Amino acid sequence: EYGVCENLRKLEITGVSCRDVYAKLLHRYRHILGLWQPDIGPYGGLLNVVVDGLFIIGWMYLPPHDPHVDDPMRFKPLFRIHLMERKSATVECMYGHKGPHNGHIQIVKKDEFSTKCNQTDHHRMSGGRQEEFRTWLREEWGRTLEDIFHEHMQELILMKFIYTSQYDNCLTYRRIYLPPSSPDDLIKPGLFKGTYGSHGLEIVMLSFHGKKAKGTKITGDPNIPAGQQTVEIDLAHPLQLPDIENLRDFSELSRLVLEVQEQVRREEQQQQQQEEEHCQPAAKPPGGEGAEGEETAAGAEGTTQDKAPASQPFVLPMGVISRNEDYPRTCRICFYGTGLIAGHGFTSPERTPGLFVLFDDDRFGFIWLELKSFSLYSRIKVSFQNAQAPSREAFDEMLKNIQSLAT
């Protein structure tokens, strides 16, 4: 049931029975297995709780160092649970650099739990906060503060260290699910690493919803916090790129995207008028409104892909800033989309026009017109266990919950 098939002979040495392992460890803590998002203000995170032999371990997954989106994820243990004696399971905090120490886990409800460290002195370093900051910076960014010349970036990094270090003794986690997939999806949905300018790399969940695809932040920043929908792709409005020379001209790309934006605005107005005119009861077609919408989306998407060439040349327009110059030079298809931007503290948020660029099954990009910047996303290739949503409705409810908490 839990994949424990090794090391059972060790139980004979410690005098712990299989019944104890099942009842006091695996069954007792079954509700915390899977994927979780820690409540760390706007920053969020990605925790994977797994059974590993006779241990249950909570691994925090971290993006690779900026801007290397194609590098594998990094991970470190936050806590572990095991049976050292017959009485009860032992919870140990793994935070810091002094080895495992006494911790506590409280299961608040089925989809929420919290961890607490009972020995926070194990988190401190002999060199004080300065040494702790330097160590955190090497782990988080793979460099020293002297290597980062951009003053605003230095401020953001220092702010994140001060904020996140307040959570080293107590954390609350809320369950998240991997998005369900459908044969009609443009690519397989899932988790991606993406570049976000001075904020570095962040984790985004790509999911499909009929005519729309959504990118939801699993990790975030003070501008757009974790849980918010960072990009939305309009799958009903593919966009044909100009030839490579004209594509280098930002004003040409901007003109094409804004034309589609105006077309979308007109269509939404027409639809609203039709709904107001036909707002009489019993006007729904058989099968329900949602079913018809999804069917239309699948049809539109299939038609788009049939007509689109296998690949076309791609280059970023002049003046568009990219953290990673090593982006693909061919793409499959592009769609109109919107990206969420806001001031510090998620002030004055607004959805702004942009271009979604699908490179291949594992990479896509988004050009933010208003910011004149480019984000490159690469799939997280990790097989997460116990992370599938029990139903489409459960996944949609989870998305709503994490967004409302972020707001």
Side-chain angles (χ1 to χ4, degrees), residues 251-284:
S251 60
E252 176 63 13
L253 179 68
S254 181
R255 181 186 66 79
L256 290 171
V257 172
L258 293 178
E259 277 181 4
V260 179
Q261 183 190 34
E262 179 58 26
Q263 180 189 343
V264 170
R265 190 189 64 80
R266 287 197 304 268
E267 288 172 3
E268 287 174 349
Q269 275 186 339
Q270 281 180 337
Q271 187 179 356
Q272 191 176 356
Q273 286 172 358
Q274 288 171 358
E275 287 173 358
E276 288 172 357
E277 290 169 5
H278 301 92
C279 59
Q280 300 300 321
K284 283 188 179 181

Side-chain angles (χ1 to χ4, degrees), residues 66-315:
D66 179 52
H68 308 293
V69 291
D70 286 328
D71 284 0
M73 294 286 283
R74 299 171 296 126
F75 50 92
K76 62 180 182 181
L78 284 197
F79 62 83
R80 70 181 186 184
I81 316 167
H82 56 100
L83 283 181
M84 294 299 287
E85 52 186 29
R86 295 191 63 170
K87 291 180 184 175
S88 61
T90 301
V91 177
E92 292 178 321
C93 176
M94 305 289 283
Y95 192 93
H97 299 267
K98 294 182 180 178
H101 47 282
N102 190 18
H104 175 73
I105 284 180
Q106 181 179 1
I107 300 175
V108 182
K109 49 188 177 183
K110 188 182 177 185
D111 293 326
E112 186 176 316
F113 77 97
S114 61
T115 56
K116 184 180 180 183
C117 176
N118 298 328
Q119 293 178 281
T120 51
D121 56 302
H122 278 64
H123 305 173
R124 307 280 73 88
M125 290 185 168
S126 56
R129 294 289 275 173
Q130 285 191 343
E131 185 187 356
E132 289 168 22
F133 176 61
R134 284 196 297 269
T135 304
W136 175 86
L137 190 60
R138 280 197 303 272
E139 292 175 352
E140 184 87 5
W141 291 84
R143 61 181 93 173
T144 65
L145 201 62
E146 290 73 30
D147 295 333
I148 302 164
F149 303 112
H150 198 293
E151 193 175 328
H152 179 57
M153 197 169 177
Q154 289 182 347
E155 289 173 1
L156 290 170
I157 288 169
L158 188 57
M159 186 189 308
K160 185 174 183 179
F161 170 73
I162 293 169
Y163 194 100
T164 55
S165 60
Q166 297 171 18
Y167 288 83
D168 67 346
N169 65 331
C170 191
L171 265 177
T172 298
Y173 302 87
R174 293 181 180 86
R175 184 181 295 282
I176 57 175
Y177 298 116
L178 292 177
S181 60
S182 158
D184 297 320
D185 292 340
L186 189 64
I187 57 171
K188 183 183 176 184
L191 297 172
F192 291 76
K193 307 150 278 183
T195 54
Y196 278 87
S198 299
H199 297 296
L201 297 190
E202 297 183 11
I203 301 171
V204 168
M205 178 184 286
L206 180 70
S207 56
F208 293 92
H209 308 262
K211 293 181 182 181
K212 304 283 186 186
K214 297 177 181 179
T216 305
K217 282 195 174 189
I218 302 303
T219 64
D221 54 67
N223 290 75
I224 308 297
Q228 288 295 340
Q229 190 183 312
T230 174
V231 293
E232 182 174 282
I233 302 105
D234 191 336
L235 299 172
H237 289 89
L239 198 148
Q240 183 62 46
L241 293 179
D243 61 67
I244 203 74
E245 286 308 312
N246 283 321
L247 183 56
R248 294 180 191 276
D249 182 358
F250 178 78
S251 60
E252 176 63 13
L253 179 68
S254 181
R255 181 186 66 79
L256 290 171
V257 172
L258 293 178
E259 277 181 4
V260 179
Q261 183 190 34
E262 179 58 26
Q263 180 189 343
V264 170
R265 190 189 64 80
R266 287 197 304 268
E267 288 172 3
E268 287 174 349
Q269 275 186 339
Q270 281 180 337
Q271 187 179 356
Q272 191 176 356
Q273 286 172 358
Q274 288 171 358
E275 287 173 358
E276 288 172 357
E277 290 169 5
H278 301 92
C279 59
Q280 300 300 321
K284 283 188 179 181
E289 188 178 323
E292 186 195 14
E294 291 194 14
E295 185 184 338
T296 306
E301 187 185 312
T303 306
T304 300
Q305 292 183 69
D306 291 342
K307 289 181 181 177
S311 67
Q312 53 189 318
F314 177 81
V315 67

